[in-house]
Amino acid sequence: MAQEDPSWKTFFEENPKPTNFDKNVKLIQDVCQHAAVKKNRVALITSGGTTVPLEQNTVRFIDNFSAGTRGSASAEYFLDAGYQVIFLHRSKSLEPYSRHLVGRNIFDMIEVLPDHITVGDKHQIELRVVAEKYQRHKCNLLMISFNTLADYLWLLQATAQKMQILGPLALLYLAAAVSDFYIPTSQMPHHKIQSSGGPLSLSLQLVPKMLAPLVTLWAPNAFVVSFKLETNETLLETKSKESLLKYHHNVVIGNILNSRKVYVTLVDSASSSAEEIRLSASDLENGVEIESKIVENLKIRHEKYYANHKTG
Amino acid sequence: MAQEDPSWKTFFEENPKPTNFDKNVKLIQDVCQHAAVKKNRVALITSGGTTVPLEQNTVRFIDNFSAGTRGSASAEYFLDAGYQVIFLHRSKSLEPYSRHLVGRNIFDMIEVLPDHITVGDKHQIELRVVAEKYQRHKCNLLMISFNTLADYLWLLQATAQKMQILGPLALLYLAAAVSDFYIPTSQMPHHKIQSSGGPLSLSLQLVPKMLAPLVTLWAPNAFVVSFKLETNETLLETKSKESLLKYHHNVVIGNILNSRKVYVTLVDSASSSAEEIRLSASDLENGVEIESKIVENLKIRHEKYYANHKTG
């Protein structure tokens, strides 16, 4: 497929690498090499939305709705499940562990005493639970951030390639909300678009589908999970299956914008029917997150995949 | 001006109020009424970028580059200067005090001991400084958040109107990066735009300039400071002066995308020449923020304005 359609290659030729690229790739490589030696499973989790600049000196950009909830929560459950995690996330989107404090001001939780400051009594239990988990798992968590679509795709390619040495031990969980459209650098104005020019017309190109080279070239033996987000439920299962037929990866998780925190469908290349994962009323009452069930489900599928790979 | 050009009225007719609008307006009203009785100065600080949805069930939106650095830092200095502050900010953008911890993980600063958790020794001094300031000033700080352009404009109008009872004691510091373009609800697709439709053409309308009704109708006696952000230095002073001539407010602060943290120009309606505010090498070395100088400068201008208003 890559030979027929080299549009993904053109994209990389036209869009320069992000800053700190080499440094980040080195960190990723170290994780993969170390894990390969120890036969550890590694999950790449992509998370958050990508931006598409409208100007070269960027003031305006198109963004995708994504706080990073799915990715950041899933990262914690993959760590709990014994994976090493590479968390490739949009800068300022939710991160594992610290996500539990978002929307709250840490200075409301700090008590100022004459000779030292400490965590207020009311917050001791809640913060202890998270702090203990974080400190237990942080050695298995590598966090790398991006902003633009191009930054993300460069880092995705490099990470997938570095994960190749892990073979079927590698799991890719592509939860980032990646833009479908962009404006090529050559068609972007250099300076901020002036409002005195009247109404604005924008023309956006399709972003090449990177799942094709990812599955066939960059990480051909990895277990690859992609996401489909729709707002229209009638399209969901069809589009998920189409995606699997087109790219030949392992699992598509389909979700609807308004119900994504309680309900997803899971389509596996090894079976034709969709599986539902749904939070029950008692799950909701007990604060169970759907990501714990998604990861539990994927862990089993990944184990089977790995076992087949060894024997097959 | 409002009678000749009612486009701002049409905007409010076409775009519904944000959720929690009435509750937030009540909080704002309480601050203003209380301050009016005590003759306290109140600063409205707007901060962060506004989003412009591309779909009614929004997956994609256009955003403006703004982390909220200017607004959140300025809020702290206005509080230090004795103002009560209404901080109208983009959800998840930087906030006063907590901004000092952005990019760092609080769980790296917490020490887990057998019987309690506390702030690690290394972080005691730094966190104490901020915690003390926060706890001293938080009773004078009201934080209200928004996401979309329409949410922002509804809240701006309401706040300005509620500040009217403060007369010249009100200062409006409009640091938010407000979109110049938007797609009217009636022209927006209902569902997520499908990438199978090929390249995407977008047509955006100009957002009505709300500074006109704000200055003439909503808060006619307030001291109003607006910002001009450009990427092209040659346009800056001309555009700042044009803005002042057009809207008849009090101060325009001009800044260039790449140098905005060390240099701004300030144009006052009372004088024709622009004043520069610039951080010196020693300021930079000592971690002085340019917002401390901007606020100090504005405080003096606001005092003069208030004195003239009383006698004039």
Side-chain angles (χ1 to χ4, degrees):
Chain A
M1 184 169 284
Q3 282 167 333
E4 288 164 16
D5 175 12
S7 62
W8 64 271
K9 282 196 181 169
T10 316
F11 184 92
F12 287 116
E13 281 157 17
E14 286 179 351
N15 289 280
K17 291 176 187 173
T19 48
N20 292 326
F21 182 72
D22 295 337
K23 196 183 121 225
N24 283 328
V25 174
K26 178 74 173 63
L27 293 171
I28 291 161
Q29 179 176 301
D30 289 349
V31 167
C32 295
Q33 286 181 342
H34 201 71
V37 171
K38 297 175 110 181
K39 298 219 178 299
N40 284 347
R41 290 162 301 163
V42 178
L44 166 67
I45 297 170
T46 70
S47 184
T50 60
T51 65
V52 168
L54 302 185
E55 298 130 338
Q56 290 187 42
N57 274 301
T58 310
V59 174
R60 302 190 180 88
F61 52 90
I62 296 185
D63 203 344
N64 281 43
F65 170 81
S66 173
T69 311
R70 181 81 83 212
S72 61
S74 301
E76 291 183 20
Y77 296 112
F78 275 112
L79 287 162
D80 283 344
Y83 283 77
Q84 285 185 256
V85 169
I86 300 169
F87 187 65
L88 181 57
H89 66 292
R90 164 72 174 279
S91 172
K92 314 274 165 67
S93 68
L94 293 178
E95 297 175 7
Y97 308 108
S98 66
R99 72 185 173 107
H100 298 280
L101 298 181
V102 160
R104 293 154 69 189
N105 190 329
I106 186 68
F107 294 110
D108 281 321
M109 303 181 185
I110 284 179
E111 193 175 347
V112 179
L113 301 171
D115 62 336
H116 73 292
I117 61 173
T118 186
V119 175
D121 286 346
K122 275 190 299 189
H123 308 284
Q124 282 282 332
I125 293 170
E126 180 197 5
L127 291 194
R128 167 182 284 272
V129 171
V130 185
E132 282 181 345
K133 278 200 180 183
Y134 171 68
Q135 292 179 6
R136 189 182 321 130
H137 289 312
K138 71 176 172 182
C139 57
N140 290 319
L141 172 61
L142 174 63
M143 304 220 286
I144 307 279
S145 70
F146 61 83
N147 270 306
T148 68
L149 169 73
D151 294 356
Y152 167 75
L153 292 177
W154 272 106
L155 288 162
L156 175 67
Q157 181 190 48
T159 311
Q161 288 171 337
K162 294 298 174 194
M163 290 177 91
Q164 222 185 90
I165 56 165
L166 292 157
L169 285 168
L171 180 147
L172 278 70
Y173 184 86
L174 307 174
V178 183
S179 180
D180 292 314
F181 303 101
Y182 79 116
I183 299 183
T185 312
S186 58
Q187 292 171 34
M188 241 183 257
H190 192 72
H191 284 296
K192 183 183 173 190
I193 301 162
Q194 294 295 324
S195 61
S196 51
L200 176 66
S201 284
L202 295 175
S203 219
L204 292 106
Q205 302 299 312
L206 282 175
V207 175
K209 297 291 182 190
M210 299 292 177
L211 206 47
L214 184 145
V215 172
T216 55
L217 299 172
W218 304 343
N221 295 313
F223 187 79
V224 178
V225 182
S226 73
F227 284 80
K228 265 274 160 218
L229 174 70
E230 294 295 333
T231 59
N232 186 345
E233 184 144 11
T234 58
L235 290 175
L236 191 62
E237 193 171 329
T238 320
K239 290 193 75 82
S240 298
K241 285 183 177 167
E242 275 174 15
S243 174
L244 216 46
L245 281 171
K246 187 167 175 189
Y247 300 111
H248 309 287
H249 58 302
N250 307 93
V251 173
V252 176
I253 297 178
N255 46 171
I256 299 290
L257 188 61
N258 295 324
S259 62
R260 68 197 187 284
K261 291 183 183 175
V262 293
Y263 166 69
V264 301
T265 62
L266 204 144
V267 188
D268 188 317
S269 59
S271 69
S272 60
S273 63
E275 183 176 340
E276 286 191 0
I277 298 180
R278 198 184 283 276
L279 290 186
S280 67
S282 86
D283 285 337
L284 286 168
E285 214 166 282
N286 297 319
V288 173
E289 294 179 311
I290 194 164
E291 290 77 13
S292 67
K293 301 198 168 207
I294 295 173
V295 171
E296 189 181 19
N297 190 306
L298 291 176
K299 186 189 174 187
I300 295 167
R301 290 174 198 264
H302 187 203
E303 270 163 11
K304 281 188 199 154
Y305 174 83
Y306 180 63
N308 286 342
H309 239 271
K310 280 198 299 191
T311 59
Chain B
M1 183 171 284
Q3 281 167 333
E4 288 165 15
D5 176 14
S7 62
W8 65 270
K9 282 195 181 168
T10 316
F11 184 94
F12 286 116
E13 281 157 17
E14 286 179 351
N15 290 279
K17 289 176 188 173
T19 47
N20 291 326
F21 182 74
D22 294 338
K23 196 183 121 225
N24 282 328
V25 174
K26 178 74 172 65
L27 293 171
I28 291 161
Q29 179 177 304
D30 289 349
V31 167
C32 295
Q33 286 180 342
H34 201 70
V37 172
K38 296 176 110 184
K39 299 219 177 300
N40 283 346
R41 289 162 301 163
V42 178
L44 165 67
I45 297 171
T46 71
S47 184
T50 60
T51 66
V52 168
L54 302 184
E55 297 129 339
Q56 289 186 44
N57 275 301
T58 309
V59 174
R60 303 191 180 89
F61 52 90
I62 297 185
D63 203 344
N64 281 42
F65 169 82
S66 174
T69 310
R70 180 82 82 213
S72 61
S74 302
E76 292 183 20
Y77 296 112
F78 275 111
L79 288 161
D80 283 344
Y83 283 77
Q84 285 186 255
V85 168
I86 300 170
F87 187 65
L88 180 57
H89 67 292
R90 164 73 174 278
S91 173
K92 314 275 165 66
S93 69
L94 293 178
E95 295 175 7
Y97 309 109
S98 66
R99 73 185 173 107
H100 297 281
L101 298 182
V102 160
R104 294 153 70 186
N105 190 328
I106 187 69
F107 294 110
D108 281 321
M109 303 181 185
I110 284 178
E111 195 175 347
V112 179
L113 300 171
D115 61 337
H116 72 292
I117 61 172
T118 185
V119 175
D121 285 345
K122 276 191 298 189
H123 307 283
Q124 282 282 332
I125 293 169
E126 180 197 4
L127 291 194
R128 168 182 283 272
V129 171
V130 185
E132 284 181 343
K133 276 199 180 183
Y134 171 69
Q135 292 178 5
R136 190 183 319 132
H137 289 311
K138 70 177 174 183
C139 56
N140 290 318
L141 172 62
L142 173 64
M143 303 221 285
I144 307 279
S145 70
F146 61 83
N147 271 305
T148 68
L149 171 73
D151 294 357
Y152 167 74
L153 292 177
W154 272 106
L155 288 163
L156 175 67
Q157 181 190 46
T159 311
Q161 287 170 337
K162 293 299 174 194
M163 290 177 90
Q164 222 184 90
I165 55 162
L166 292 158
L169 283 169
L171 181 147
L172 279 70
Y173 183 86
L174 307 173
V178 183
S179 180
D180 292 313
F181 303 101
Y182 79 116
I183 299 182
T185 311
S186 58
Q187 292 172 33
M188 244 184 257
H190 192 72
H191 283 298
K192 183 182 172 189
I193 301 163
Q194 293 294 324
S195 61
S196 51
L200 176 65
S201 285
L202 295 175
S203 220
L204 292 105
Q205 302 300 311
L206 282 175
V207 175
K209 297 292 181 188
M210 298 292 177
L211 206 46
L214 184 144
V215 171
T216 55
L217 299 172
W218 304 343
N221 296 314
F223 187 78
V224 178
V225 182
S226 74
F227 284 79
K228 265 276 160 216
L229 174 69
E230 295 295 335
T231 61
N232 186 345
E233 184 146 11
T234 57
L235 291 176
L236 190 62
E237 192 171 329
T238 318
K239 290 192 76 82
S240 297
K241 285 182 178 168
E242 275 174 16
S243 173
L244 216 47
L245 280 170
K246 188 167 174 189
Y247 300 110
H248 308 287
H249 58 303
N250 305 96
V251 174
V252 177
I253 296 178
N255 47 171
I256 300 291
L257 188 61
N258 295 324
S259 62
R260 68 197 188 284
K261 290 183 183 174
V262 293
Y263 166 70
V264 301
T265 61
L266 204 144
V267 187
D268 187 318
S269 60
S271 68
S272 61
S273 63
E275 183 176 339
E276 287 191 359
I277 297 181
R278 195 183 285 276
L279 290 186
S280 66
S282 85
D283 286 338
L284 287 167
E285 214 165 281
N286 296 320
V288 173
E289 294 180 310
I290 195 164
E291 289 77 12
S292 67
K293 299 195 169 210
I294 294 173
V295 171
E296 188 180 19
N297 190 305
L298 291 175
K299 185 188 174 189
I300 295 167
R301 289 173 199 265
H302 187 204
E303 270 163 12
K304 278 188 200 154
Y305 174 83
Y306 180 63
N308 285 340
H309 240 273
K310 279 197 300 190
T311 58

